[in-house]
């Protein structure tokens, strides 16, 4: 049984202009110890995918499909049932630290509460564990810093606190949404190492959401590429980097610097904009921006999977 199996996930938002189709028929699964990256341009539905799974959609959002975690559907759980899993078995590191920190409580109170609640440690043990975690994410003087309130930290330090909280309970599944975006490269690398260690030591599964394909290679073994709320390609890091099948994935790869290319290689952003999620076009959603589009693309391309489990959704098939 998979640790997490997401099937036919749809996420929509009611707005005065109509329904925003943020995630459309998304499928993926993870076993214990797997690390999956979800990549795609801003607005492609990465964050709302995990928000929906965690029961954290905005008021105007709605979800259908399945998200089976250890055999039970997270989407059918009550808030109190979800709370039993959130923070302990499933931890989430959010993009915006201020959404996951309570501004009125010291870091100590917030961290200790989680540990006492989920790991049954006493207060002194919980505090020592929390201080260790802060030290691990390189918060200076953690014994003193732990007594501070969120607003007393800089943005980068707050982000590290969030990472420490995410790792605190040794979750079975860690969902990290752009966890290192606001941090400098040294700290980014360090935090990637901490996540790898969590994976190795406790066989945790990781979902890493990022637009930075550079971070992916170090930490993840599979990559799911999203465009306009849909999966367009999924494969191992090697398949996605060295044999991308979908023109969108190829475009993403051409828009980021890579170590395996000469430094002066020109980078090309994908021209044009993603489609309007209020009225998605028929057929391939990428066709208006696609250099390889042809007549067939007005039909919806089926997901094709080869023997190596490399899946892509484009009529062009091979990397032509
Ligand atoms: N509460 C909301 N109401 C309407 N649209 C929303 C809401 N929250 C998110 N969206 C839209 O959902 C789409 C997907 O967003 P998101 O998952 O955050 O993208 P990203 O891939 O950048 O994480 C975006 O177009 C966003 O504007
Ligand atoms: Mg996002």
């Amino acid at each position: 049984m998979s640790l997490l199996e997401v099937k036919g996930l749809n996420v929509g938002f009611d707005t005065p202009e109509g329904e925003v189709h943020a995630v459309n028929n998304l499928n993926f699964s993870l076993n214990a110890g797997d690390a999956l990256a979800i990549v795609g341009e801003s607005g492609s539905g990465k964050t709302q995918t995990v928000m929906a799974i965690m029961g954290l959609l905005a008021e105007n959002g709605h979800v259908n499909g399945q998200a089976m975690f250890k055999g039970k559907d997270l989407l059918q759980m009550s808030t109190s049932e979800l709370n039993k899993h959130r923070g302990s078995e499933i931890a989430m590191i959010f993009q915006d630290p201020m959404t996951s920190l309570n501004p009125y409580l010291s870091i100590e109170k917030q961290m200790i509460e989680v540990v006492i609640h989920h790991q049954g440690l006493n207060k002194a043990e919980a505090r020592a564990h929390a201080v260790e975690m802060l030290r691990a994410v390189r918060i200076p003087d953690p014994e003193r810093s732990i007594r501070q309130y969120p607003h007393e930290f800089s943005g980068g330090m707050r982000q590290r606190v969030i990472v420490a909280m995410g790792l605190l309970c040794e979750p079975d599944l860690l969902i990290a949404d752009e966890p290192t975006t606001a941090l400098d490269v040294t700290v980014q690398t360090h935090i990637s190492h901490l996540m790898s260690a969590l994976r190795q030591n406790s066989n945790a599964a990781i979902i890493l959401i990022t637009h930075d394909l550079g971070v992916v290679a170090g930490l993840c073994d599979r990559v799911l590429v999203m465009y306009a709320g849909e999966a367009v390609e999924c494969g191992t890091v090697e398949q996605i980097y060295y044999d991308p099948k979908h023109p969108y994935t190829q475009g993403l790869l051409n828009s980021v610097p890579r170590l395996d290319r000469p430094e002066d290689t020109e980078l090309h952003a994908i021209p044009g904009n993603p489609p309007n999620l209020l009225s998605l076009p028929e057929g391939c959603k990428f066709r208006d921006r696609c250099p390889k589009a042809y007549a067939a693309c007005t039909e919806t391309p089926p997901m094709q999977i080869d023997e190596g489990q490399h899946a892509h959704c484009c009529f062009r098939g091979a990397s032509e």
Side-chain angles (χ1 to χ4, degrees), residues 41-48 95 177-178 209:
E41 290 169 303
S42 175
S44 55
K46 306 179 299 292
T47 296
Q48 299 314 319
Q95 208 163 6
D177 189 355
E178 310 265 8
I209 295 180

Side-chain angles (χ1 to χ4, degrees), residues 59-81:
E59 287 268 299
N60 63 332
H62 47 87
V63 55
N64 62 56
Q66 281 187 333
M68 306 301 289
F69 179 71
K70 298 183 179 175
K72 281 168 90 183
D73 192 352
L74 295 169
L75 303 185
Q76 301 299 329
M77 286 184 194
S78 63
T79 309
S80 65
E81 252 182 297

Side-chain angles (χ1 to χ4, degrees), residues 4 38 45-57 74 82 85-101 114 118 158-179 195 198 205-209:
L4 176 70
I38 303 183
K46 306 179 299 292
T47 296
Q48 299 314 319
T49 295
V50 296
M51 289 301 220
I53 294 171
M54 298 293 282
L56 296 172
L57 285 182
L74 295 169
L82 267 177
H85 299 287
R86 286 196 295 230
S88 56
E89 288 168 277
I90 309 177
M92 193 162 167
I93 300 173
F94 290 93
Q95 208 163 6
D96 171 15
M98 279 324 253
T99 56
S100 31
L101 290 173
V114 180
H118 293 298
R158 272 201 294 264
Q159 186 63 5
R160 294 188 210 186
V161 171
I162 294 296
V163 173
M165 286 176 79
L167 299 174
L168 203 56
C169 288
E170 300 199 345
D172 299 319
L173 173 62
L174 176 69
I175 302 177
D177 189 355
E178 310 265 8
M195 298 208 294
L198 174 75
I206 293 176
I207 297 177
L208 175 69
I209 295 180

Side-chain angles (χ1 to χ4, degrees), residues 127-148:
R127 187 175 193 283
H129 185 43
V131 168
E132 268 333 291
M133 266 340 287
L134 291 178
R135 203 184 307 283
V137 296
R138 303 199 170 165
I139 298 273
D141 195 0
E143 290 280 355
R144 189 185 61 81
S145 304
I146 197 168
R147 290 198 296 269
Q148 294 183 318

